[in-house]
Amino acid sequence: TTLQSERESLAQADVEDNIETVRACGGTVLFGVDATRLKTPEAVGRRKGFDRIIFNFPLVSGGLPKDTPSATSANQALLREIFGNTAAGGLLCPDGELHVTIPRGQPYEQWGLPTLAKLAGLRVKCAIPFDAAAYPGYRSDIPHINGGALTYALVKVGTRAVPTEEVKKRFGGSAKEMNKQRRKKPRKP
């Protein structure tokens, strides 16, 4: 999805190739989607929530210098809207994740992404260095790629990791048995 119209998007270099690649892989490209107003998967033609929502390098435009208090407030408002909609609505399937990538350092750390997520009802599952290689063809003239940025994987509060098949087999497939083993105290020799 993109906020821009199709015409605005196609005016940018390499966008047409990217759109063709997404469509060739069976994906859908939607234009004019305002993520701050997206509350349900039905709004983009889906019947169920997404496994992953990826929001790389959100930034409010509009000519604001990126390191001013007003720019920080505008970007925090953007994240609050995205996080609130994700936590409250059915945008994510029960075990789905919202991935948000922001550059390391100032002014981005002032945005307080983990705190904003927590206030909206999301929790940080993990934060890993951004890997541009995970997005074939990704290019940027901004020096935030390859370790200069963090990708936060956010999940709804209350979402727990589901034990893998290997763990289930070790405990006879029983979550009760698994928890019982975890509670056992080690014996003294």
Side-chain angles (χ1 to χ4, degrees), residues 27-69:
T28 304
V29 179
L30 300 173
F31 301 93
V33 176
D34 184 346
T36 64
R37 293 193 170 97
L38 189 60
K39 298 189 186 298
T40 65
E42 292 85 6
V44 289
R46 290 181 56 99
R47 284 184 254 151
K48 63 178 191 163
F50 295 92
D51 294 322
R52 301 285 181 275
I53 297 173
I54 299 174
F55 200 15
N56 285 336
F57 306 105
L59 186 64
V60 172
S61 60
L64 293 172
K66 67 180 182 180
D67 57 353
T68 64

Side-chain angles (χ1 to χ4, degrees), residues 20-137:
E20 287 177 21
T21 301
V22 170
R23 289 178 176 158
C25 292
T28 304
V29 179
L30 300 173
F31 301 93
V33 176
D34 184 346
T36 64
R37 293 193 170 97
L38 189 60
K39 298 189 186 298
T40 65
E42 292 85 6
V44 289
R46 290 181 56 99
R47 284 184 254 151
K48 63 178 191 163
F50 295 92
D51 294 322
R52 301 285 181 275
I53 297 173
I54 299 174
F55 200 15
N56 285 336
F57 306 105
L59 186 64
V60 172
S61 60
L64 293 172
K66 67 180 182 180
D67 57 353
T68 64
S70 58
T72 297
S73 292
N75 285 297
Q76 287 174 325
L78 171 67
L79 292 177
R80 270 194 301 277
E81 288 289 326
I82 301 296
F83 295 166
N85 292 344
T86 302
L91 289 175
L92 290 175
C93 65
D95 58 344
E97 298 177 1
L98 169 63
H99 292 198
V100 181
T101 303
I102 62 170
R104 292 181 179 182
Q106 299 302 332
Y108 308 100
E109 289 175 4
Q110 293 174 357
W111 296 4
L113 186 147
T115 302
L116 294 173
K118 183 177 181 178
L119 292 172
L122 301 172
R123 69 176 174 84
V124 176
K125 178 180 175 184
C126 65
I128 58 171
F130 174 70
D131 180 14
Y135 303 92

Side-chain angles (χ1 to χ4, degrees), residues 125-174:
K125 178 180 175 184
C126 65
I128 58 171
F130 174 70
D131 180 14
Y135 303 92
Y138 179 82
R139 288 188 311 270
S140 177
D141 55 357
I142 302 170
H144 58 241
I145 60 172
N146 298 327
L150 284 177
T151 298
Y152 291 86
L154 307 170
V155 295
K156 290 183 181 182
V157 170
T159 304
R160 294 182 167 225
V162 178
T164 64
E165 287 303 315
E166 181 183 315
V167 171
K168 286 181 183 178
K169 285 179 188 174
R170 216 176 345 173
F171 296 103
S174 166

